[in-house]
């Protein structure tokens, strides 16, 4: 049964993608550094789609993903993390004939894999929902910003592939589940970047058998006791409000991470918390990251309405993202200097 889906407004030229996929023998699927639920969800979903077509694809990420997403990692083809298995990952890129890039708009988001991917002669496909994607390295770019997530864009892409033909039952349950997780995490469980097409996607996936409550348990209710204590600590002692700027920010220091037994993914959701204060329109989280491997401060930004954190991240934090959710980094500045830097930056940005 092909349903008359409203959101086949998201028209994708799938003929070319079909041609690329039918010629693919050694596929490689990659997403961005510091992968989130959409990054992991979209690559895993695409992996299962290709697997259903008997295509052997490898999954690669530049850095590790949070523990609460590990249930998505396919048992038979574990995601390779370049940070831990660099040699192996580079050789996989070398031997790939087709590279599928999901949930990022610039190859630089793959960090130390950028050069190898850029120089590879493989056919490259980008499927992404960030504004202004880099197009030059890719044979095919599927880019829309009027979707919740890369996972949603992938969902509509797959739905229009000839073998799926708009019938959700032709999508495997593993693929459906990963797509749901990507959308659910990027929208913060339907609270932002939600479009009519997003609910439609959710409705289709739940109809397919996706257990939304179980996925919510895995993703949102699997934190440690110490992470909750860390949240309490930073909210009480390390959150600052700039009333005149309708802004708030949180500082997370390495010493607090240590004290509260921090693990990657523990900061998930922290940056959204100040936005629940009445009147606050923009929020920032600064995470100190000074150790043997890295020395920068990670910046996370969230906003409401027209407050554009993408431009703000571009201008002041060496980063980018979306209008209401962006990220970046600060180099050569100590965590103690961040309040001064942020307050100056926001005043300057608001003046413009
Ligand atoms: P988060 O705050 O969750 O780390 O990132 C929010 C969004 O900002 C991500 O979905 C991604 O689009 C973007 N983003 C995060 N970090 C960076 C970065 O270092 N550079 C760029 N260009 N975008 C980033
Ligand atoms: Mn995304």
């Amino acid at each position: 049964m092909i349903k008359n889906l409203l959101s086949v407004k998201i028209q994708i030229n799938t003929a070319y993608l079909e041609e690329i996929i039918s010629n693919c023998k050694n596929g490689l699927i990659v997403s961005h550094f510091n992968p989130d639920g959409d990054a992991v969800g979209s690559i895993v979903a695409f992996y299962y789609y290709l697997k259903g077509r008997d295509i052997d694809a490898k999954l690669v990420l530049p850095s590790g993903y949070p523990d609460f997403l590990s249930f998505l990692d396919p048992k038979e083809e574990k995601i390779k993390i370049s940070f831990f298995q660099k040699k192996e990952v580079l050789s996989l890129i070398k031997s790939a004939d087709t590279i599928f890039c999901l949930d990022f708009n610039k190859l630089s988001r793959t960090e130390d894999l950028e050069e190898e991917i850029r120089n590879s002669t493989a056919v490259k496909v980008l499927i992404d929902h960030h504004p202004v994607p880099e197009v030059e390295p890719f044979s095919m770019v599927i880019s829309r910003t009027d979707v919740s997530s890369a996972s949603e864009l992938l969902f509509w892409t797959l739905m229009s592939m000839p073998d799926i033909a708009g019938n959700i039952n032709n999508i495997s349950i593993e693929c459906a589940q990963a797509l749901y997780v990507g959308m659910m995490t990027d929208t913060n469980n339907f609270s932002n970047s939600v479009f009519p097409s997003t609910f439609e996607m959710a409705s289709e996936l739940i109809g397919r058998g996706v257990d939304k409550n179980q996925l919510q348990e895995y993703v949102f209710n699997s934190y440690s006791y110490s992470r909750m204590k860390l949240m309490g600590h930073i909210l009480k002692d390390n959150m600052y409000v700039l009333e005149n700027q309708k802004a708030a920010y949180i500082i997370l220091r390495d010493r607090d991470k240590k004290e509260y037994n921090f693990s990657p993914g523990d900061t998930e959701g922290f940056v959204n918390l100040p936005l629940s204060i009445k009147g606050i329109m923009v929020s920032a989280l600064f995470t100190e990251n000074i150790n043997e491997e890295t020395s920068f401060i990670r910046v996370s930004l969230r906003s409401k309405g027209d407050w554009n954190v993408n431009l703000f991240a571009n201008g002041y934090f060496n980063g980018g993202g979306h209008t209401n959710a962006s990220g970046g980094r600060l180099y050569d500045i100590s965590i103690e200097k961040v309040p001064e830097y942020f307050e100056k930056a926001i005043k300057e940005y608001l003046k413009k």
Side-chain angles (χ1 to χ4, degrees):
M1 174 187 54
I2 298 181
K3 284 193 202 150
N4 187 15
L5 291 170
L6 170 80
S7 296
V8 177
K9 73 171 177 105
I10 298 178
Q11 293 270 340
I12 290 142
N13 173 11
T14 37
Y16 187 32
L17 183 60
E18 177 56 33
E19 187 190 319
I20 291 172
I21 292 176
S22 26
N23 288 320
C24 167
K25 303 240 156 24
N26 293 304
L28 185 94
I29 314 171
V30 61
S31 192
H32 59 81
F33 190 84
N34 255 330
D36 55 6
D38 194 26
V40 179
S42 61
I43 65 167
V44 169
F46 199 57
Y47 163 81
Y48 281 117
Y49 171 71
L50 293 181
K51 187 176 148 80
R53 298 182 55 158
D54 291 324
I55 295 167
D56 171 36
K58 306 286 179 198
L59 289 161
V60 158
L61 287 170
S63 63
Y65 58 78
D67 230 21
F68 61 79
L69 295 170
S70 60
F71 73 98
L72 287 175
D73 204 338
K75 281 189 190 64
E76 68 285 0
E77 183 54 64
K78 289 273 172 211
I79 301 171
K80 309 261 179 332
I81 311 289
S82 158
F83 189 80
F84 305 115
Q85 300 156 271
K86 179 130 189 216
K87 256 197 183 151
E88 196 178 340
V89 168
L90 291 181
S91 92
L92 287 176
I93 297 173
K94 263 204 181 75
S95 55
D97 57 36
T98 317
I99 301 178
F100 300 95
C101 298
L102 289 109
D103 195 33
F104 61 86
N105 58 350
K106 300 200 162 51
L107 273 183
S108 60
R109 296 279 287 131
T110 64
E111 298 273 320
D112 56 351
L113 304 182
E114 175 181 1
E115 211 180 295
E116 200 69 30
I117 297 177
R118 203 177 282 284
N119 295 336
S120 145
T121 54
V123 173
K124 296 172 199 113
V125 177
L126 177 69
I127 303 179
D128 178 54
H129 69 126
H130 294 85
V132 209
E134 184 179 9
V135 295
E136 185 273 323
F138 299 99
S139 306
M140 181 175 195
V141 173
I142 300 177
S143 162
R144 304 271 306 221
T145 54
D146 58 346
V147 286
S148 61
S149 51
S151 296
E152 183 184 334
L153 185 55
L154 178 61
F155 169 81
W156 293 113
T157 304
L158 296 183
M159 287 294 268
S160 29
M161 293 300 283
D163 59 328
I164 306 292
N167 184 347
I168 191 69
N169 294 317
N170 292 331
I171 287 184
S172 72
I173 189 68
E174 293 85 0
C175 176
Q177 172 172 283
L179 290 169
Y180 193 92
V181 169
M183 176 276 292
M184 176 178 83
T185 49
D186 251 25
T187 60
N188 197 10
N189 216 7
F190 299 95
S191 79
N192 35 46
S193 322
V194 174
F195 296 82
S197 59
T198 314
F199 289 108
E200 216 172 344
M201 164 193 184
S203 159
E204 286 286 313
L205 292 175
I206 289 168
R208 173 66 185 84
V210 165
D211 185 343
K212 123 188 196 305
N213 294 343
Q214 188 194 52
L215 296 179
Q216 280 168 198
E217 282 303 300
Y218 285 152
V219 172
F220 300 119
N221 300 336
S222 296
Y223 291 115
S224 62
Y225 180 43
S226 59
R227 183 261 186 185
M228 206 71 173
K229 302 273 263 191
L230 173 65
M231 186 159 105
H233 165 65
I234 58 166
L235 288 181
K236 178 172 166 290
D237 295 328
N238 296 349
M239 182 177 71
Y240 307 91
V241 170
L242 308 174
E243 268 179 46
N244 291 338
Q245 284 72 36
K246 298 187 162 84
Y249 63 95
I250 296 174
I251 304 260
L252 178 55
R253 290 182 177 78
D254 278 335
R255 64 163 187 263
D256 293 324
K257 291 197 220 162
K258 207 165 156 201
E259 185 179 340
Y260 292 91
N261 208 5
F262 180 85
S263 69
D266 278 358
T267 50
E268 212 59 43
F270 283 4
V271 66
N272 292 308
L273 296 169
L275 289 179
S276 63
I277 303 170
K278 191 171 181 178
I280 296 298
M281 297 302 285
V282 60
S283 163
L285 170 71
F286 296 94
T287 307
E288 194 178 20
N289 241 306
I290 314 291
N291 51 50
E292 279 134 42
E293 287 96 22
T294 58
S295 68
F296 59 83
I297 292 164
R298 206 177 144 207
V299 185
S300 245
L301 297 157
R302 297 292 184 274
S303 65
K304 293 182 192 167
D306 296 337
W307 215 114
N308 192 325
V309 284
N310 178 24
L311 294 178
F312 191 41
N314 259 292
Y316 297 92
F317 302 106
N318 307 296
H322 310 273
T323 305
N324 296 129
S326 290
R329 287 172 191 187
L330 281 174
Y331 303 95
D332 308 319
I333 168 172
S334 78
I335 197 82
E336 309 310 328
K337 292 270 181 232
V338 164
E340 193 186 319
Y341 182 85
F342 179 70
E343 292 179 27
K344 190 164 170 265
I346 198 160
K347 283 176 190 161
E348 207 177 284
Y349 179 76
L350 288 173
K351 239 189 227 149
K352 279 182 197 163

mmCIF file of all heavy atoms in Angstrom, residues 277-306:
data_model
loop_
_atom_site.group_PDB
_atom_site.id
_atom_site.type_symbol
_atom_site.label_atom_id
_atom_site.label_comp_id
_atom_site.label_asym_id
_atom_site.label_seq_id
_atom_site.Cartn_x
_atom_site.Cartn_y
_atom_site.Cartn_z
ATOM 1 N N ILE A 277 14.198 29.289 32.170
ATOM 2 C CA ILE A 277 14.028 30.473 33.023
ATOM 3 C C ILE A 277 13.233 31.509 32.222
ATOM 4 O O ILE A 277 13.560 31.765 31.050
ATOM 5 C CB ILE A 277 15.398 31.085 33.414
ATOM 6 C CG1 ILE A 277 16.255 30.036 34.125
ATOM 7 C CG2 ILE A 277 15.217 32.341 34.266
ATOM 8 C CD1 ILE A 277 17.700 30.474 34.327
ATOM 9 N N LYS A 278 12.218 32.061 32.827
ATOM 10 C CA LYS A 278 11.362 33.030 32.132
ATOM 11 C C LYS A 278 12.200 34.171 31.543
ATOM 12 O O LYS A 278 13.017 34.761 32.241
ATOM 13 C CB LYS A 278 10.321 33.583 33.105
ATOM 14 C CG LYS A 278 9.244 34.385 32.412
ATOM 15 C CD LYS A 278 8.125 34.732 33.345
ATOM 16 C CE LYS A 278 7.062 35.526 32.597
ATOM 17 N NZ LYS A 278 5.927 35.838 33.447
ATOM 18 N N GLY A 279 11.993 34.441 30.265
ATOM 19 C CA GLY A 279 12.658 35.574 29.618
ATOM 20 C C GLY A 279 13.989 35.229 28.966
ATOM 21 O O GLY A 279 14.486 35.989 28.141
ATOM 22 N N ILE A 280 14.590 34.108 29.325
ATOM 23 C CA ILE A 280 15.894 33.765 28.739
ATOM 24 C C ILE A 280 15.703 33.280 27.297
ATOM 25 O O ILE A 280 14.915 32.374 27.037
ATOM 26 C CB ILE A 280 16.625 32.690 29.588
ATOM 27 C CG1 ILE A 280 16.947 33.226 30.979
ATOM 28 C CG2 ILE A 280 17.905 32.210 28.886
ATOM 29 C CD1 ILE A 280 17.884 34.422 31.016
ATOM 30 N N MET A 281 16.436 33.923 26.389
ATOM 31 C CA MET A 281 16.284 33.617 24.962
ATOM 32 C C MET A 281 17.478 32.860 24.390
ATOM 33 O O MET A 281 17.387 32.277 23.317
ATOM 34 C CB MET A 281 16.111 34.923 24.159
ATOM 35 C CG MET A 281 14.867 35.703 24.524
ATOM 36 S SD MET A 281 13.362 34.745 24.296
ATOM 37 C CE MET A 281 13.221 34.778 22.514
ATOM 38 N N VAL A 282 18.610 32.939 25.098
ATOM 39 C CA VAL A 282 19.805 32.264 24.576
ATOM 40 C C VAL A 282 20.603 31.683 25.741
ATOM 41 O O VAL A 282 20.658 32.267 26.830
ATOM 42 C CB VAL A 282 20.666 33.223 23.702
ATOM 43 C CG1 VAL A 282 21.142 34.431 24.488
ATOM 44 C CG2 VAL A 282 21.868 32.498 23.097
ATOM 45 N N SER A 283 21.150 30.523 25.497
ATOM 46 C CA SER A 283 21.866 29.817 26.545
ATOM 47 C C SER A 283 23.163 29.229 25.993
ATOM 48 O O SER A 283 23.232 28.835 24.828
ATOM 49 C CB SER A 283 20.950 28.705 27.073
ATOM 50 O OG SER A 283 21.692 27.763 27.794
ATOM 51 N N ALA A 284 24.180 29.197 26.843
ATOM 52 C CA ALA A 284 25.470 28.643 26.403
ATOM 53 C C ALA A 284 26.022 27.711 27.471
ATOM 54 O O ALA A 284 25.810 27.919 28.668
ATOM 55 C CB ALA A 284 26.457 29.780 26.144
ATOM 56 N N LEU A 285 26.703 26.691 27.015
ATOM 57 C CA LEU A 285 27.417 25.787 27.918
ATOM 58 C C LEU A 285 28.874 25.757 27.485
ATOM 59 O O LEU A 285 29.177 25.503 26.314
ATOM 60 C CB LEU A 285 26.822 24.375 27.835
ATOM 61 C CG LEU A 285 27.618 23.270 28.535
ATOM 62 C CD1 LEU A 285 27.543 23.402 30.054
ATOM 63 C CD2 LEU A 285 27.113 21.885 28.123
ATOM 64 N N PHE A 286 29.767 26.035 28.421
ATOM 65 C CA PHE A 286 31.212 25.999 28.141
ATOM 66 C C PHE A 286 31.813 24.829 28.901
ATOM 67 O O PHE A 286 31.750 24.797 30.130
ATOM 68 C CB PHE A 286 31.872 27.305 28.572
ATOM 69 C CG PHE A 286 31.365 28.492 27.796
ATOM 70 C CD1 PHE A 286 30.326 29.278 28.285
ATOM 71 C CD2 PHE A 286 31.917 28.803 26.561
ATOM 72 C CE1 PHE A 286 29.845 30.357 27.561
ATOM 73 C CE2 PHE A 286 31.445 29.894 25.820
ATOM 74 C CZ PHE A 286 30.408 30.663 26.326
ATOM 75 N N THR A 287 32.377 23.893 28.169
ATOM 76 C CA THR A 287 32.948 22.707 28.797
ATOM 77 C C THR A 287 34.457 22.706 28.617
ATOM 78 O O THR A 287 34.956 22.665 27.485
ATOM 79 C CB THR A 287 32.337 21.429 28.177
ATOM 80 O OG1 THR A 287 30.916 21.537 28.236
ATOM 81 C CG2 THR A 287 32.785 20.185 28.915
ATOM 82 N N GLU A 288 35.155 22.755 29.719
ATOM 83 C CA GLU A 288 36.620 22.727 29.676
ATOM 84 C C GLU A 288 37.077 21.354 29.193
ATOM 85 O O GLU A 288 36.501 20.337 29.564
ATOM 86 C CB GLU A 288 37.166 22.988 31.087
ATOM 87 C CG GLU A 288 38.627 23.314 31.128
ATOM 88 C CD GLU A 288 39.107 23.610 32.566
ATOM 89 O OE1 GLU A 288 38.428 23.215 33.531
ATOM 90 O OE2 GLU A 288 40.167 24.232 32.692
ATOM 91 N N ASN A 289 38.106 21.357 28.360
ATOM 92 C CA ASN A 289 38.567 20.124 27.726
ATOM 93 C C ASN A 289 40.068 20.131 27.603
ATOM 94 O O ASN A 289 40.612 20.053 26.510
ATOM 95 C CB ASN A 289 37.997 20.089 26.300
ATOM 96 C CG ASN A 289 37.116 18.902 26.090
ATOM 97 O OD1 ASN A 289 37.529 17.772 26.323
ATOM 98 N ND2 ASN A 289 35.901 19.169 25.680
ATOM 99 N N ILE A 290 40.722 20.291 28.713
ATOM 100 C CA ILE A 290 42.182 20.421 28.650
ATOM 101 C C ILE A 290 42.790 19.121 29.171
ATOM 102 O O ILE A 290 42.669 18.817 30.354
ATOM 103 C CB ILE A 290 42.674 21.609 29.513
ATOM 104 C CG1 ILE A 290 41.833 22.866 29.286
ATOM 105 C CG2 ILE A 290 44.162 21.885 29.291
ATOM 106 C CD1 ILE A 290 41.948 23.543 27.962
ATOM 107 N N ASN A 291 43.360 18.349 28.264
ATOM 108 C CA ASN A 291 44.038 17.120 28.688
ATOM 109 C C ASN A 291 45.152 16.819 27.690
ATOM 110 O O ASN A 291 45.501 17.680 26.886
ATOM 111 C CB ASN A 291 43.042 15.967 28.800
ATOM 112 C CG ASN A 291 42.201 15.835 27.540
ATOM 113 O OD1 ASN A 291 42.743 15.814 26.443
ATOM 114 N ND2 ASN A 291 40.886 15.776 27.699
ATOM 115 N N GLU A 292 45.684 15.581 27.731
ATOM 116 C CA GLU A 292 46.815 15.287 26.854
ATOM 117 C C GLU A 292 46.452 15.383 25.376
ATOM 118 O O GLU A 292 47.253 15.776 24.542
ATOM 119 C CB GLU A 292 47.369 13.882 27.146
ATOM 120 C CG GLU A 292 48.285 13.852 28.350
ATOM 121 C CD GLU A 292 47.994 12.690 29.288
ATOM 122 O OE1 GLU A 292 47.760 11.576 28.791
ATOM 123 O OE2 GLU A 292 47.966 12.918 30.514
ATOM 124 N N GLU A 293 45.200 15.004 25.050
ATOM 125 C CA GLU A 293 44.821 14.964 23.629
ATOM 126 C C GLU A 293 44.269 16.290 23.113
ATOM 127 O O GLU A 293 44.444 16.620 21.953
ATOM 128 C CB GLU A 293 43.763 13.878 23.375
ATOM 129 C CG GLU A 293 44.279 12.450 23.437
ATOM 130 C CD GLU A 293 44.050 11.838 24.812
ATOM 131 O OE1 GLU A 293 43.169 12.334 25.531
ATOM 132 O OE2 GLU A 293 44.759 10.882 25.152
ATOM 133 N N THR A 294 43.566 17.005 23.975
ATOM 134 C CA THR A 294 42.890 18.205 23.478
ATOM 135 C C THR A 294 43.161 19.388 24.397
ATOM 136 O O THR A 294 43.448 19.214 25.575
ATOM 137 C CB THR A 294 41.358 18.010 23.453
ATOM 138 O OG1 THR A 294 40.927 17.684 24.763
ATOM 139 C CG2 THR A 294 40.918 16.940 22.493
ATOM 140 N N SER A 295 43.049 20.573 23.836
ATOM 141 C CA SER A 295 43.112 21.735 24.711
ATOM 142 C C SER A 295 42.243 22.838 24.120
ATOM 143 O O SER A 295 42.710 23.720 23.420
ATOM 144 C CB SER A 295 44.542 22.201 24.931
ATOM 145 O OG SER A 295 45.033 22.710 23.747
ATOM 146 N N PHE A 296 40.961 22.704 24.371
ATOM 147 C CA PHE A 296 40.027 23.736 23.940
ATOM 148 C C PHE A 296 38.826 23.697 24.869
ATOM 149 O O PHE A 296 38.659 22.767 25.663
ATOM 150 C CB PHE A 296 39.597 23.531 22.477
ATOM 151 C CG PHE A 296 38.938 22.214 22.191
ATOM 152 C CD1 PHE A 296 37.591 22.014 22.436
ATOM 153 C CD2 PHE A 296 39.675 21.148 21.675
ATOM 154 C CE1 PHE A 296 36.982 20.791 22.171
ATOM 155 C CE2 PHE A 296 39.074 19.918 21.418
ATOM 156 C CZ PHE A 296 37.724 19.746 21.661
ATOM 157 N N ILE A 297 37.996 24.726 24.734
ATOM 158 C CA ILE A 297 36.756 24.763 25.501
ATOM 159 C C ILE A 297 35.621 24.507 24.521
ATOM 160 O O ILE A 297 35.512 25.193 23.492
ATOM 161 C CB ILE A 297 36.595 26.119 26.217
ATOM 162 C CG1 ILE A 297 37.666 26.211 27.312
ATOM 163 C CG2 ILE A 297 35.193 26.266 26.801
ATOM 164 C CD1 ILE A 297 37.883 27.596 27.842
ATOM 165 N N ARG A 298 34.829 23.503 24.789
ATOM 166 C CA ARG A 298 33.723 23.182 23.895
ATOM 167 C C ARG A 298 32.557 24.116 24.205
ATOM 168 O O ARG A 298 32.225 24.337 25.367
ATOM 169 C CB ARG A 298 33.314 21.728 24.110
ATOM 170 C CG ARG A 298 32.674 21.143 22.890
ATOM 171 C CD ARG A 298 32.351 19.683 23.097
ATOM 172 N NE ARG A 298 31.107 19.445 22.396
ATOM 173 C CZ ARG A 298 30.239 18.522 22.704
ATOM 174 N NH1 ARG A 298 30.457 17.721 23.724
ATOM 175 N NH2 ARG A 298 29.145 18.380 22.003
ATOM 176 N N VAL A 299 31.964 24.634 23.146
ATOM 177 C CA VAL A 299 30.867 25.583 23.316
ATOM 178 C C VAL A 299 29.596 24.996 22.718
ATOM 179 O O VAL A 299 29.611 24.464 21.610
ATOM 180 C CB VAL A 299 31.192 26.921 22.597
ATOM 181 C CG1 VAL A 299 30.114 27.959 22.876
ATOM 182 C CG2 VAL A 299 32.565 27.438 22.996
ATOM 183 N N SER A 300 28.512 25.081 23.479
ATOM 184 C CA SER A 300 27.205 24.642 22.999
ATOM 185 C C SER A 300 26.253 25.811 23.146
ATOM 186 O O SER A 300 26.232 26.452 24.197
ATOM 187 C CB SER A 300 26.700 23.528 23.913
ATOM 188 O OG SER A 300 26.604 22.335 23.223
ATOM 189 N N LEU A 301 25.464 26.081 22.131
ATOM 190 C CA LEU A 301 24.565 27.236 22.174
ATOM 191 C C LEU A 301 23.146 26.834 21.782
ATOM 192 O O LEU A 301 22.963 26.052 20.847
ATOM 193 C CB LEU A 301 25.056 28.308 21.193
ATOM 194 C CG LEU A 301 26.435 28.905 21.483
ATOM 195 C CD1 LEU A 301 27.042 29.493 20.219
ATOM 196 C CD2 LEU A 301 26.351 29.966 22.570
ATOM 197 N N ARG A 302 22.168 27.371 22.498
ATOM 198 C CA ARG A 302 20.761 27.137 22.154
ATOM 199 C C ARG A 302 20.010 28.450 22.276
ATOM 200 O O ARG A 302 20.357 29.294 23.119
ATOM 201 C CB ARG A 302 20.106 26.125 23.117
ATOM 202 C CG ARG A 302 20.701 24.743 23.103
ATOM 203 C CD ARG A 302 20.444 23.997 21.802
ATOM 204 N NE ARG A 302 20.948 22.633 21.869
ATOM 205 C CZ ARG A 302 22.205 22.282 21.597
ATOM 206 N NH1 ARG A 302 23.099 23.181 21.242
ATOM 207 N NH2 ARG A 302 22.567 21.019 21.670
ATOM 208 N N SER A 303 18.973 28.611 21.455
ATOM 209 C CA SER A 303 18.203 29.854 21.525
ATOM 210 C C SER A 303 16.753 29.598 21.179
ATOM 211 O O SER A 303 16.385 28.495 20.776
ATOM 212 C CB SER A 303 18.790 30.876 20.553
ATOM 213 O OG SER A 303 18.631 30.392 19.230
ATOM 214 N N LYS A 304 15.973 30.663 21.323
ATOM 215 C CA LYS A 304 14.555 30.590 20.960
ATOM 216 C C LYS A 304 14.288 31.581 19.830
ATOM 217 O O LYS A 304 14.935 32.623 19.747
ATOM 218 C CB LYS A 304 13.683 30.973 22.152
ATOM 219 C CG LYS A 304 13.739 29.988 23.303
ATOM 220 C CD LYS A 304 12.794 30.463 24.405
ATOM 221 C CE LYS A 304 13.007 29.695 25.686
ATOM 222 N NZ LYS A 304 12.332 30.335 26.818
ATOM 223 N N GLY A 305 13.286 31.277 19.034
ATOM 224 C CA GLY A 305 12.796 32.200 18.001
ATOM 225 C C GLY A 305 13.859 32.607 17.012
ATOM 226 O O GLY A 305 14.613 31.775 16.503
ATOM 227 N N ASP A 306 13.955 33.932 16.769
ATOM 228 C CA ASP A 306 14.862 34.428 15.732
ATOM 229 C C ASP A 306 16.295 34.616 16.203
ATOM 230 O O ASP A 306 17.157 35.026 15.430
ATOM 231 C CB ASP A 306 14.379 35.806 15.227
ATOM 232 C CG ASP A 306 13.022 35.697 14.559
ATOM 233 O OD1 ASP A 306 12.690 34.583 14.107
ATOM 234 O OD2 ASP A 306 12.298 36.718 14.515
#
